Structure formats: C-alpha cells, structure tokens
Amino acid sequence: MKLFALIGGGVIAHISRLGRASVFLYRVFLGGWQIFTRPSLLVHQIYAVGVLTLTIILVAGLFVGMVLSFQGYNTLVDFGAESSLGLMVALSLTRELGPVLAALLFAGRAGSALTAEIGLMKATQQLAGMEMMAVNPIERVVAPRFFAGFFSLTLLATLFTAVGVAGGHFIGVTVLGVDAGVFWSSMQEGVDFHDDIVSGIVKSIVFGFVVTWIAVFEGYDAVPTAEGVSRATTRTVVNASLAVLALDFILTSLMFGDV
Amino acid sequence: MAAKNSSGNDVLVEFRDVHFAYGDRPILKGVNLTIPRGKVTAILGPSGTGKTTLLNFIGGRLRPDHGDIIVDGLSVPRLRLKQLYALRRRMGMLFQSGALLTDINVFENIAFPVREHCRLPEPVLRNLVLLKLEMVGLRGARRLMPSELSGGMARRVALARAIVLDPMLVMYDEPFAGLDPISMAVIVKLIGEVNDALSISSVVVTHDVAEAYAIAHYMYLIADGQIIAQGTPEELQASQQVQVRQFMDGLPDGPVPYHYPAVAYEDDLLRGGLD
Ligand SMILES: Nc1ncnc2c1ncn2[C@@H]1O[C@H](COP(=O)(O)OP(=O)(O)OP(=O)(O)O)[C@@H](O)[C@H]1O
Ligand SMILES: [Mg+2]
C-alpha cells in the first residue's frame, strides 16, 4: 500500500512539475515582447552567456575535430579511402557532434550558471523585491536569459563545427599528409546543404530551446535555500544532458531514419 | 501627493475577515484591520504569527482563502495582473532581508525602479537618486556594491529604493531586526521623516516593542492568527489584557504559546521514532 502511494506520489509530482514548467514557458513567451522594446537586455545576456561558453566551445571543437581526423584516417586508410577523410569529419560534425557536444558543454557551463543565478536571486528575495517594485521578473530576468541562451547555442554549435573541421584539416592535411584539395573537395561534394547543414542547425535550435528552458525553469522553481539552489543546478546539468541525448536520438531517426 | 485619496475616505488598507492557511496549517483566522492614510501603523506579534504574510496580502503576492483586502478602494485578490502591477507601483516595500539587486551598485539599485517605469533624462534621474540617498545619509556610498554594505546600510539603501517613486504606502518588514542601537535609532527617525515629509502612509511590521511605541500612531497586536489587541501606543501600554502584557513585557510563556503546534510531548517520546 505504502509503495503504491509512494510511486503514485512520485508520478504526480513529476507530472505537476511538467505542468508548471509548461505554464512557465508560456509566461516566458508572453514576457518575450519586452525584448523588442529593450533589445539591450537581450544583447547583454547574449554577451554574458556567449563569453561564458565561447572558450570551452572553441577548445573542445578543435580537439574533437583533431581526434576525429586521427581515428577516421586510421580506419579509412585500411580501405584506401583516406580521400574521404574530409567528408567523414565534416558529416560527423555537422550532423551529430557539433550540435550534441556543444549542447552538452553549454548545459554544463552556461545552463548551470543560469540556474544558479536565477535560483540565488530567488533565495535572496531579489525576485520578490522586483515583483513588489512592479517589475515582472519573468519579463525582466527570465525572458532575456531564455532567448539569449537559445540564440547563443545555435551560434555556438555552428562555431563548434567550423572549428572542428579546421582541427580535422590540421591533423589530416598537415600532420597525416592527406592532399588539401582532396580533403576540401570531398567535403564539398558530399555535404548536402539541406540534408546535413540544415538538419544540424535544426538540432541545435531544438537543443538550445530545451537546455535553456530547463535551466531557467530549474532556477525559477528552485527551493529558495542554499541547498535548494545547489540541487537545482545539479538537476539542470543532468536533465538537460539526458534531454539532449534523447532528443538527438529522436531527431536523428526522424531525419535520417528512412535513408 | 499620491497619498490624496481616490476613494474619498481616510482608510488606505482594509482587511476584511481574512483567513489563510499554508497547506492545512492555518496562519490567519479571521483578521480584520484598517490602516489609515498618512499615519504610521505598527503590526506587532511574535515570530511566525504571519506578519510578513499580512504584507504579502497587501502587495498581492498571496491570495487569502477567504475574505478580502481593500487597498485604496481596490480589492487586491480580484485584481488582474496588470492592475496589480499598477497598484504596486504606488507601494514601496522594505524586505526583511533588504532584497537589493546584488549585481549592481547602490546608485543603480535606487535608480532601478525609476529606469523600469519612467523615461527620465539621466541628469534628472541622477538628482532624484542623490536626493533619496542624501535623505538616508548614504550619498557617499553610492558606488559601493550591496555586498560591501553593512546590514544597517543595506536597510537604508532599501528604504531609499522603496520611496524613490514617491509611493502612497511604504511597508516595512522587521526594519529593526538585527541592528545596533544607533542604526535602529536612525531607522526609527527615517521612518518618521519619510512618513511626514512625503505624506506617505506607513505600515511597520515588527516584534520590537520599544521602537514600535516610538514611531506608531496606531498599533495592532497579532497572535495565533488573530488580532488580539489594538489601539494607540498609550492605550496598549495601559491595557491589562493578559496576552498584551505577555508580549509587551516580554514574558516567555503565557497565553501566547512558546511551542510550535505539536502532539503531546509524552506521546512523541513514547512513539520512539516511528514518524
Ligand atoms: N512558503 C511557506 N510555506 C509554508 N509555510 C510557510 C511559508 N512561509 C511562511 N510559512 C509559515 O507561516 C507562518 C507565518 O510566516 P511569516 O513569515 O508571515 O511570519 P512572521 O510573523 O513574519 O515571522 P517573523 O517575525 O519571524 O518574520 C510561519 O510560522 C511559517 O512557518
Ligand atoms: Mg517576517
């Protein structure tokens, strides 16, 4: 009996949280018009979020591209297919690794920071203070951060891919001696704008949406104590990462499943 | 000023039979009180009786389970969000914790509500903020960040911010808690000055009896979810009601219970941790 009550309670708690998160998202969108009247709020947040994550994205992109190039070369050379190295690196990055890894890094770096910032503002009554000053914290604090995160991740994922290709080029051409012309032309012929690049961008838009949504909601919904905020931060990283991986699977099977 | 009434009487806030519970724990059990315009009204009561909760009703941050709260002729629980925000523009609130925005300095904190609500040219804004800072004696501290302020200074900055838009009502939540005697006297003086000079109405929620006597024109004593006494400071001082005496003279136990509601102590011990 107790077990049923426990399971039932857990399920109800999860569903009601999901409900609250949806209502919250609706209110964020309602509050979104502020961004058009005060673009400076958005620009400020894009700067904050972007600067926070730029270094890690660039470094990670470079290394992932280089490792990919090494491993790809080792496999391809056995089949005498090292001329396809550029294609392999570029496809892996645009379709999968760019959006997914950028989103995971973003969740860990910017997502956790967003949650902690909003959660602390709640714990120190800054959000309540704003409400009493007739300033809606969802419009003033949450919406700019949400749209900034969403927009930044799309850009960052593209950057990740570009830097990754550069890293792959460096290893493949400079270190392993693949012909530069072959490297680029295989990429040019094999990468399709619609199928590969657009689908990669769609993925990063979806990931950006979900990761920032989770991050700002966890912050806004945090139990307003030190422990509550730290738990919320952990939940952001775990839930956002799992959501990215699960959504990646779903999107991949929708986009490439029928090939 | 804004304090001149629109509903034509001298009652600014009225609680009508307000009931409220957090979950199944009742906090307010039928509170009736009125807050006059232009006066300082003190609400006293022991810790945890729902004084902060009362202020949250006036600001519309909570809704009562039953009853009504009228502020300047408007029923707060029935306001739409937009009207509520319009009403809040005419209120200032000093939080128990100050609630300053921690990522901007003192000057910007006070300028914040002005920037959000009015388009003032920068020099005018600057003069307005400096005027309020001068009033609380912290003009020299305007470049400091909130983390660099002492508790008493933070409270004064929060006060300056609460009055920067010349509200009709300022609510003070425990303005004296945790201050040294000098800072306390400063705050007492400021609350009086703000009330008189700006013809604002003030509500002070506190458990510091002496300070409440010093500033209030009218006092309510709340315990166990109800108003147990009210009157001018002189009337309360002369009251022979047991509960009033217990609180005013600071006796540890009496009609106002010392214990948070619980099952009988023996039962709790005998249950041996079977919660
Ligand atoms: N969010 C909440 N959820 C559940 N119970 C709450 C919540 N906030 C306050 N309470 C309970 O409501 C009661 C009244 O709280 P309130 O903050 O109004 O007290 P107070 O009179 O301001 O006390 P103090 O003088 O210590 O500030 C407290 O006993 C507290 O346990
Ligand atoms: Mg309180």
Side-chain angles (χ1 to χ4, degrees):
Chain A
M1 228 24 235
K2 236 181 175 166
L3 187 68
F4 279 121
L6 220 64
I7 295 175
V11 170
I12 290 172
H14 269 92
I15 293 179
S16 84
R17 231 175 115 69
L18 197 64
R20 261 181 298 148
S22 313
V23 172
F24 174 77
L25 184 66
Y26 170 72
R27 289 168 63 200
V28 170
F29 273 100
L30 276 192
W33 59 267
Q34 268 260 348
I35 285 165
F36 297 104
T37 51
R38 292 175 66 184
S40 64
L41 283 180
L42 182 67
V43 173
H44 182 82
Q45 286 307 322
I46 291 179
Y47 181 76
V49 173
V51 165
L52 217 60
T53 330
L54 192 60
T55 327
I56 190 174
I57 291 280
L58 291 182
V59 173
L62 193 67
F63 277 97
V64 167
M66 295 198 299
V67 168
L68 207 55
S69 197
F70 260 128
Q71 295 285 11
Y73 183 83
N74 277 340
T75 312
L76 291 174
V77 85
D78 289 343
F79 303 96
E82 67 269 26
S83 58
S84 303
L85 183 63
L87 177 63
M88 194 220 89
V89 169
L91 277 190
S92 325
L93 282 166
T94 48
R95 284 183 177 180
E96 293 292 340
L97 295 177
V100 172
L101 290 182
L104 291 179
L105 292 171
F106 184 83
R109 185 68 183 87
S112 58
L114 278 179
T115 306
E117 191 186 13
I118 297 177
L120 274 177
M121 288 182 86
K122 183 179 180 187
T124 53
Q125 291 202 304
Q126 296 183 50
L127 298 184
M130 277 192 192
E131 278 181 18
M132 287 308 299
M133 287 187 277
V135 175
N136 188 339
I138 292 202
E139 282 172 16
R140 182 63 174 71
V141 174
V142 176
R145 282 170 175 75
F146 175 75
F147 289 105
F150 180 18
F151 177 74
S152 308
L153 181 53
T154 313
L155 281 186
L156 289 167
T158 316
L159 262 177
F160 187 100
T161 305
V163 175
V165 169
H169 180 265
F170 170 71
I171 292 297
V173 175
T174 317
V175 178
L176 299 173
V178 175
D179 183 70
V182 172
F183 188 90
W184 288 117
S185 66
S186 73
M187 220 187 284
Q188 220 165 38
E189 274 161 32
V191 179
D192 183 81
F193 178 75
H194 179 264
D195 281 355
D196 302 318
I197 298 186
V198 171
S199 67
I201 291 177
V202 168
K203 275 186 178 178
S204 60
I205 290 177
V206 173
F207 297 162
F209 181 87
V210 171
V211 170
T212 12
W213 178 22
I214 291 178
V216 292
F217 175 70
E218 288 291 356
Y220 197 78
D221 199 53
V223 178
T225 59
E227 198 204 356
V229 174
S230 95
R231 276 169 188 251
T233 311
T234 312
R235 270 205 307 271
T236 291
V237 177
V238 173
N239 292 350
S241 307
L242 291 180
V244 165
L245 295 173
L247 279 170
D248 184 49
F249 174 74
I250 295 173
L251 288 175
T252 303
S253 47
L254 287 180
M255 288 167 173
F256 304 104
D258 49 33
V259 176
Chain B
M1 293 225 71
K4 281 294 156 276
N5 50 45
S6 43
S7 58
N9 56 33
D10 49 1
V11 172
L12 182 58
V13 179
E14 188 179 353
F15 278 67
R16 290 187 188 149
D17 193 28
V18 173
H19 290 256
F20 180 72
Y22 272 120
D24 36 353
R25 213 183 124 225
I27 307 290
L28 302 180
K29 307 168 190 164
V31 169
N32 288 291
L33 62 80
T34 57
I35 290 164
R37 285 174 200 274
K39 299 266 166 55
V40 179
T41 307
I43 299 176
L44 285 98
S47 217
T49 41
K51 302 185 299 298
T52 303
T53 311
L54 280 180
L55 294 186
N56 281 333
F57 282 125
I58 300 177
R61 292 183 8 90
L62 286 175
R63 266 160 214 253
D65 300 333
H66 179 267
D68 203 357
I69 295 107
I70 315 286
V71 178
D72 199 29
L74 302 169
S75 164
V76 177
R78 277 189 226 122
L79 290 181
R80 305 181 61 84
L81 197 63
K82 218 167 164 184
Q83 301 167 307
L84 184 62
Y85 272 90
L87 180 64
R88 282 181 186 163
R89 279 195 202 195
R90 299 191 286 144
M91 303 178 177
M93 174 147 176
L94 190 73
F95 279 82
Q96 215 160 342
S97 61
L100 296 175
L101 301 174
T102 45
D103 57 342
I104 51 180
N105 66 20
V106 166
F107 182 94
E108 287 302 321
N109 256 291
I110 298 172
F112 181 83
V114 189
R115 289 195 202 280
E116 291 297 314
H117 294 307
C118 328
R119 298 233 171 281
L120 285 186
E122 202 60 24
V124 180
L125 174 76
R126 190 183 129 88
N127 287 348
L128 178 63
V129 173
L130 290 187
L131 179 77
K132 303 294 174 184
L133 271 173
E134 176 71 21
M135 206 167 164
V136 298
L138 289 177
R139 198 163 40 83
R142 64 176 179 272
R143 301 254 167 274
L144 296 184
M145 296 303 282
S147 56
E148 299 171 295
L149 302 175
S150 74
M153 287 159 83
R155 202 88 40 101
R156 276 144 73 191
V157 173
L159 174 56
R161 185 178 70 173
I163 59 173
V164 71
L165 287 174
D166 288 331
M168 61 176 180
L169 171 71
V170 184
M171 295 179 269
Y172 302 88
D173 192 359
E174 308 284 2
F176 314 114
L179 294 187
D180 68 277
I182 301 176
S183 310
M184 224 183 254
V186 171
I187 300 274
V188 168
K189 178 174 140 277
L190 279 175
I191 293 178
E193 275 178 13
V194 163
N195 195 75
D196 299 341
L198 306 175
S199 60
I200 286 173
S201 316
S202 316
V203 185
V204 181
V205 151
T206 180
H207 40 227
D208 291 290
V209 179
E211 281 68 31
Y213 276 138
I215 47 170
H217 298 116
Y218 201 79
M219 296 165 72
Y220 287 93
L221 186 53
I222 173 172
D224 199 23
Q226 274 162 335
I227 304 285
I228 55 169
Q230 56 177 295
T232 60
E234 297 75 34
E235 284 167 2
L236 281 197
Q237 220 149 13
S239 165
Q240 287 310 315
Q241 220 178 318
V242 207
Q243 296 137 306
V244 180
R245 291 268 54 91
Q246 187 204 342
F247 187 74
M248 296 294 173
D249 305 338
L251 308 175
D253 216 346
V256 177
Y258 164 71
H259 290 284
Y260 190 94
V263 297
Y265 190 36
E266 304 84 64
D267 294 351
D268 227 0
L269 292 177
L270 287 174
R271 275 216 309 240
L274 296 175
D275 260 328

